[in-house]
Structure formats: structure tokens, C-alpha cells
Amino acid sequence: DSNIIILGAQMLGLAEGVFDRTMKYINQRTAFGSKIADFQGVQFQVATAASGRNTSLVSCVRVSSHQSLFIIT
């Protein structure tokens, strides 16, 4: 169903915006004299989020490319 692909793309765009704002925030905010982006615990969380975002992107692209094979014009 093409509606699922559209919804997935919308959610992926939303996740991209959240990730971008998060990266800006952690690079601006400081704690203990350092950017919080420099802390290993934060880096692990960012890596996990980036991995999930990239996996979702690949999945969305693969599903949409397979769906386009079945569309009859």
C-alpha cells in the first residue's frame, strides 16, 4: 500500500529534523567545561540514533523501490 510508504517517508523526515536539532543542541550545550557532545555516553546515544535513522532510510527506500515495480499505469 502506497500510504504506508508515504507515512514512512514523513516519519523519516520528522526523525531527520529531530536528529539535526539534537546535534545542534549537544554541540552548543556545555557541562563541566566541555561540550556535552564530547562525552562518551552522549556519543553512544547519538550513534544509536544515527544507526536507527540510517536503517529506517534504507528500509524506506527499498520498500518504495519494490512498490514501484507493482504499480500499473
Side-chain angles (χ1 to χ4, degrees), residues 14-69:
L14 180 63
E16 187 74 29
V18 169
F19 187 80
D20 291 343
R21 290 186 73 174
T22 300
M23 293 303 298
K24 182 179 177 183
Y25 176 79
I26 67 171
N27 282 306
Q28 290 177 345
R29 174 117 185 228
T30 60
F32 308 109
S34 298
K35 293 180 187 177
I36 63 172
D38 294 335
F39 297 127
Q40 190 175 27
V42 174
Q43 291 173 350
F44 286 144
Q45 292 176 340
V46 169
T48 301
S51 177
R53 183 193 60 178
N54 292 341
T55 303
S56 299
L57 174 62
V58 169
S59 297
C60 192
V61 169
R62 290 186 75 195
V63 167
S64 65
S65 67
H66 290 296
Q67 179 71 20
S68 66
L69 297 175

